[in-house]
Amino acid sequence: MKIKESLITRIDLEKLDDILKEGKEEFKEKEKKVEITFNGYDAEIVKSISYVVNDRFIDENKEKLIKLGVLK
């Protein structure tokens, strides 16, 4: 799904990036992934969360995005 052209100019992706890096905010429409590797002695667990910023993401998080100044 592609973001509507009018929304591209209304979203501050750099600000959203900073907010996500801080890790203080949770958003809906995320994908969680956990990878575990074990070499016989050590286990490495890598957890990642990814977001696809599209119309659905914006609709689900609209109030929060406006409050945080990401969506104008």
Side-chain angles (χ1 to χ4, degrees), residues 11-22 27 65-72:
I11 298 173
D12 186 342
L13 290 176
E14 288 182 28
K15 190 169 194 170
L16 180 58
D17 179 56
D18 291 340
I19 291 168
L20 292 173
K21 284 179 183 174
E22 289 176 13
F27 295 95
L65 293 170
I66 292 171
K67 180 181 172 186
L68 293 170
V70 174
L71 184 64
K72 301 169 189 167

Side-chain angles (χ1 to χ4, degrees), residues 28-71:
K28 297 177 184 175
E29 293 298 316
K30 62 185 168 192
E31 180 181 313
K32 294 181 182 180
K33 183 178 181 182
V34 176
E35 291 182 31
I36 300 172
T37 57
F38 182 64
N39 65 9
Y41 301 102
D42 300 317
E44 180 180 350
I45 301 171
V46 178
K47 178 183 174 187
S48 63
I49 299 173
S50 62
Y51 296 95
V52 176
V53 179
N54 56 24
D55 292 329
R56 186 173 178 179
F57 174 86
I58 292 166
D59 290 342
E60 292 290 324
N61 298 288
K62 190 171 189 171
E63 290 180 27
K64 183 179 274 194
L65 293 170
I66 292 171
K67 180 181 172 186
L68 293 170
V70 174
L71 184 64

